[in-house]
Amino acid sequence: MIYTLPSMFKENTLDKNPDSCYIINYVNNNQVNNAQVILETNAISLLTDGIKNIIYPNLKVSLNPDQLVIMKMGKCLMTEHLSTKNVYSSLLIFFDNELLIKVINSYNTSPGTFNDSSHEFKVAPKTAAISTFISSIRNSKITLTKSLIRLKTE
């Protein structure tokens, strides 16, 4: 099966207005094995339940709920292993290069080796601030506007 992201989720986005940043609360109760994924934008996966395997031609990583991954647009294979609760879930953030450049410039940071074509993704530990971000998005009682989504993503 081929998944084109975020296109396949656009009707399920928390913000119904088209923009360069989408947040998806993704939940799956079926294991997915080596699905072909086409990322139309950059993405951050904030895994909350299960295990995610990401496979590129010369790179492979396995992620647990204590980690997050930032991925460049492109193609890869992904496997989603269900947790002991028989669920796989993550908060997915899709964003374009414009938002990435804005964040880099605003916070005077450097993307490091992420611009190198041999580095398709970066894995990082999930911090308390990231966990709070996930909870705030999932438990939000207000409608998330596109400007609020961009601000929270930054």
Side-chain angles (χ1 to χ4, degrees):
M1 181 152 221
I2 298 175
Y3 298 98
T4 304
L5 307 176
S7 286
M8 73 175 271
F9 292 123
K10 286 198 178 169
E11 49 206 46
N12 297 323
T13 59
L14 295 176
D15 174 20
K16 302 294 185 198
N17 299 315
D19 195 17
S20 59
C21 186
Y22 298 92
I23 297 178
I24 309 294
N25 186 27
Y26 177 71
V27 179
N28 189 4
N29 296 90
N30 299 306
Q31 183 159 316
V32 174
N33 293 308
N34 293 325
Q36 294 179 13
V37 175
I38 300 169
L39 287 173
E40 300 169 306
T41 67
N42 305 303
I44 298 173
S45 178
L46 305 170
L47 187 61
T48 53
D49 283 295
I51 303 288
K52 177 191 287 271
N53 294 335
I54 304 170
I55 303 164
Y56 287 93
N58 296 316
L59 303 165
K60 179 180 177 181
V61 68
S62 184
L63 299 149
N64 63 55
D66 296 330
Q67 299 171 300
L68 64 91
V69 63
I70 304 170
M71 299 174 287
K72 290 187 346 183
M73 68 170 86
K75 297 179 183 179
C76 64
L77 296 177
M78 284 191 198
T79 296
E80 299 170 356
H81 297 283
L82 302 181
S83 69
T84 56
K85 298 181 272 184
N86 288 322
V87 67
Y88 173 90
S89 67
S90 66
L91 193 67
L92 301 171
I93 304 169
F94 298 98
F95 57 96
D96 62 12
N97 287 336
E98 178 185 322
L99 181 62
L100 181 60
I101 290 166
K102 180 180 178 190
V103 169
I104 289 168
N105 291 335
S106 295
Y107 296 98
N108 198 24
T109 187
S110 168
T113 58
F114 198 61
N115 282 336
D116 184 333
S117 63
S118 67
H119 295 86
E120 302 298 326
F121 58 86
K122 289 268 192 192
V123 176
K126 201 184 311 171
T127 64
I130 302 270
S131 296
T132 299
F133 170 80
I134 294 168
S135 294
S136 75
I137 294 292
R138 287 190 168 164
N139 299 323
S140 179
K141 303 264 190 262
I142 61 169
T143 301
L144 296 174
T145 64
K146 61 183 169 184
S147 59
L148 185 56
I149 287 173
R150 286 180 70 93
L151 181 63
K152 283 190 161 283
T153 300
E154 286 179 29

Coordinates of all heavy atoms in Angstrom, one line a residue, residues 106-143:
S106 N 14.1 32.7 13.2 CA 13.5 33.3 14.4 C 14.3 32.9 15.7 O 14.5 33.7 16.6 CB 12.1 32.9 14.6 OG 11.3 33.4 13.6
Y107 N 14.8 31.7 15.7 CA 15.5 31.2 16.9 C 17.0 31.1 16.8 O 17.7 30.5 17.6 CB 14.9 29.8 17.4 CG 13.4 30.0 17.7 CD1 12.4 29.7 16.8 CD2 13.1 30.5 19.0 CE1 11.1 29.8 17.2 CE2 11.7 30.6 19.3 CZ 10.8 30.3 18.4 OH 9.4 30.5 18.8
N108 N 17.5 31.7 15.7 CA 18.9 31.8 15.4 C 19.6 30.4 15.6 O 20.6 30.3 16.4 CB 19.6 32.9 16.3 CG 20.9 33.3 15.8 OD1 21.2 33.1 14.6 ND2 21.8 33.8 16.7
T109 N 19.0 29.4 15.0 CA 19.5 28.1 15.1 C 20.0 27.6 13.8 O 19.8 28.2 12.8 CB 18.4 27.1 15.7 OG1 19.0 25.9 16.0 CG2 17.3 27.0 14.8
S110 N 20.6 26.5 13.8 CA 21.2 25.9 12.5 C 20.6 24.5 12.3 O 20.5 23.7 13.3 CB 22.7 25.8 12.6 OG 23.2 25.0 11.6
P111 N 20.2 24.2 11.1 CA 19.6 22.8 10.9 C 20.7 21.7 10.9 O 20.4 20.6 10.9 CB 19.0 22.9 9.5 CG 19.8 24.0 8.8 CD 20.2 25.0 9.9
G112 N 22.0 22.1 11.0 CA 23.1 21.1 11.1 C 23.2 20.3 9.9 O 23.0 20.7 8.8
T113 N 23.4 19.0 10.1 CA 23.5 18.1 9.0 C 22.2 17.6 8.4 O 22.2 16.8 7.5 CB 24.3 16.8 9.5 OG1 23.6 16.2 10.5 CG2 25.7 17.1 9.9
F114 N 21.1 18.2 8.9 CA 19.8 17.8 8.3 C 19.7 18.2 6.8 O 18.9 17.6 6.1 CB 18.7 18.5 9.1 CG 17.4 17.8 9.0 CD1 17.2 16.5 9.3 CD2 16.3 18.5 8.4 CE1 15.9 15.9 9.1 CE2 15.0 17.9 8.3 CZ 14.9 16.6 8.6
N115 N 20.4 19.2 6.4 CA 20.4 19.6 5.0 C 21.1 18.6 4.1 O 20.9 18.6 2.9 CB 21.0 21.0 4.8 CG 20.0 22.0 5.2 OD1 18.8 21.8 5.2 ND2 20.6 23.2 5.6
D116 N 22.0 17.8 4.7 CA 22.8 16.8 3.9 C 21.8 15.7 3.4 O 21.0 15.2 4.2 CB 23.8 16.2 4.8 CG 24.7 15.2 4.1 OD1 24.3 14.6 3.2 OD2 25.9 15.0 4.6
S117 N 21.8 15.3 2.2 CA 20.9 14.4 1.6 C 21.0 13.0 2.2 O 20.1 12.2 2.1 CB 21.1 14.3 0.1 OG 22.3 13.8 -0.2
S118 N 22.1 12.7 2.9 CA 22.3 11.4 3.5 C 21.5 11.3 4.9 O 21.5 10.3 5.5 CB 23.7 11.0 3.7 OG 24.3 11.9 4.6
H119 N 21.0 12.5 5.3 CA 20.3 12.5 6.6 C 18.8 12.9 6.3 O 18.5 14.0 6.3 CB 20.9 13.5 7.5 CG 22.3 13.2 7.9 ND1 23.4 13.5 7.2 CD2 22.8 12.5 9.0 CE1 24.5 13.0 7.8 NE2 24.1 12.4 8.9
E120 N 18.0 11.8 6.2 CA 16.6 12.0 5.8 C 15.8 12.3 7.1 O 14.7 12.8 6.9 CB 16.1 10.8 5.1 CG 16.8 10.4 3.9 CD 16.8 11.5 2.8 OE1 15.7 12.2 2.7 OE2 17.7 11.6 2.1
F121 N 16.3 12.0 8.2 CA 15.5 12.2 9.4 C 16.5 12.4 10.6 O 17.6 12.1 10.6 CB 14.6 11.0 9.7 CG 15.3 9.7 9.9 CD1 15.8 9.3 11.1 CD2 15.5 8.9 8.8 CE1 16.5 8.1 11.2 CE2 16.1 7.7 8.9 CZ 16.6 7.3 10.2
K122 N 15.9 13.0 11.7 CA 16.6 13.2 13.0 C 15.7 12.6 14.1 O 14.5 12.9 14.1 CB 16.8 14.7 13.3 CG 17.8 15.4 12.4 CD 19.1 15.3 13.1 CE 20.1 16.2 12.3 NZ 21.4 16.1 12.7
V123 N 16.3 11.9 15.0 CA 15.6 11.3 16.1 C 16.1 12.1 17.3 O 17.3 12.4 17.5 CB 15.9 9.8 16.3 CG1 15.3 9.3 17.5 CG2 15.5 9.1 15.0
A124 N 15.1 12.4 18.2 CA 15.4 13.1 19.5 C 14.6 12.6 20.6 O 13.5 12.0 20.4 CB 15.2 14.6 19.3
P125 N 15.1 12.7 21.8 CA 14.2 12.3 22.9 C 13.1 13.2 23.1 O 13.2 14.4 22.8 CB 15.2 12.4 24.1 CG 16.3 13.3 23.7 CD 16.4 13.2 22.2
K126 N 12.0 12.7 23.6 CA 10.8 13.5 23.8 C 11.0 14.2 25.2 O 11.2 13.5 26.2 CB 9.5 12.7 23.8 CG 8.3 13.5 23.6 CD 7.0 12.7 23.6 CE 7.0 11.5 22.8 NZ 5.8 10.7 23.1
T127 N 10.9 15.5 25.3 CA 11.0 16.2 26.5 C 9.7 16.4 27.2 O 8.6 16.2 26.6 CB 11.7 17.6 26.3 OG1 10.8 18.4 25.5 CG2 13.0 17.5 25.6
A128 N 9.7 16.9 28.4 CA 8.5 17.2 29.2 C 7.7 18.3 28.4 O 6.5 18.3 28.3 CB 8.8 17.7 30.6
A129 N 8.4 19.3 27.8 CA 7.7 20.3 27.0 C 7.0 19.7 25.8 O 5.9 20.2 25.5 CB 8.7 21.4 26.6
I130 N 7.6 18.8 25.2 CA 6.9 18.1 24.0 C 5.7 17.3 24.5 O 4.7 17.4 23.9 CB 7.9 17.2 23.3 CG1 9.1 17.9 22.8 CG2 7.2 16.4 22.2 CD1 9.1 18.5 21.5
S131 N 5.8 16.6 25.6 CA 4.7 15.9 26.2 C 3.5 16.9 26.5 O 2.4 16.6 26.3 CB 5.1 15.1 27.4 OG 6.0 14.1 27.0
T132 N 3.9 18.0 27.1 CA 2.9 19.0 27.4 C 2.2 19.5 26.1 O 1.0 19.7 26.0 CB 3.5 20.2 28.2 OG1 4.0 19.7 29.4 CG2 2.5 21.3 28.5
F133 N 3.0 19.8 25.0 CA 2.5 20.2 23.7 C 1.5 19.2 23.2 O 0.4 19.5 22.8 CB 3.7 20.4 22.8 CG 3.2 20.5 21.3 CD1 2.8 21.8 20.9 CD2 3.3 19.5 20.4 CE1 2.5 22.0 19.6 CE2 2.9 19.7 19.1 CZ 2.5 20.9 18.7
I134 N 1.8 17.9 23.3 CA 0.9 16.8 22.8 C -0.4 16.9 23.5 O -1.5 16.9 23.0 CB 1.6 15.4 22.9 CG1 2.8 15.3 22.0 CG2 0.6 14.3 22.6 CD1 3.7 14.1 22.2
S135 N -0.3 17.0 24.9 CA -1.5 17.0 25.7 C -2.3 18.3 25.4 O -3.6 18.2 25.3 CB -1.2 17.0 27.2 OG -0.6 15.8 27.5
S136 N -1.7 19.4 25.2 CA -2.4 20.6 24.9 C -3.2 20.5 23.6 O -4.3 21.0 23.5 CB -1.5 21.8 24.9 OG -0.7 21.9 23.8
I137 N -2.6 19.9 22.6 CA -3.2 19.8 21.3 C -4.4 18.8 21.4 O -5.5 19.0 21.0 CB -2.2 19.3 20.2 CG1 -1.2 20.3 19.9 CG2 -3.0 18.8 18.9 CD1 -1.7 21.6 19.2
R138 N -4.1 17.6 22.0 CA -5.2 16.6 22.1 C -6.3 17.0 23.0 O -7.4 16.5 22.8 CB -4.5 15.3 22.6 CG -3.7 14.6 21.5 CD -3.3 13.2 21.9 NE -2.8 12.6 20.7 CZ -2.0 11.5 20.8 NH1 -1.8 10.9 22.0 NH2 -1.6 10.9 19.7
N139 N -6.1 17.8 24.0 CA -7.1 18.2 25.0 C -7.7 19.5 24.8 O -8.4 20.0 25.6 CB -6.6 18.0 26.4 CG -6.1 16.6 26.7 OD1 -6.8 15.7 26.3 ND2 -5.0 16.5 27.5
S140 N -7.3 20.2 23.6 CA -7.8 21.5 23.4 C -9.3 21.6 23.3 O -9.9 20.8 22.6 CB -7.1 22.0 22.1 OG -7.6 23.4 21.8
K141 N -9.9 22.5 24.0 CA -11.3 22.7 23.9 C -11.7 23.8 22.9 O -12.9 24.1 22.7 CB -11.8 23.1 25.3 CG -11.5 22.1 26.4 CD -12.6 21.2 26.7 CE -12.4 20.4 27.9 NZ -11.9 19.0 27.6
I142 N -10.7 24.5 22.3 CA -11.0 25.5 21.4 C -10.6 25.0 20.0 O -9.8 24.1 19.8 CB -10.2 26.8 21.7 CG1 -8.7 26.5 21.6 CG2 -10.6 27.4 23.0 CD1 -7.8 27.8 21.6
T143 N -11.2 25.6 19.0 CA -10.8 25.3 17.6 C -9.5 25.9 17.3 O -9.2 27.0 17.5 CB -11.9 25.9 16.6 OG1 -13.2 25.4 17.0 CG2 -11.5 25.6 15.2

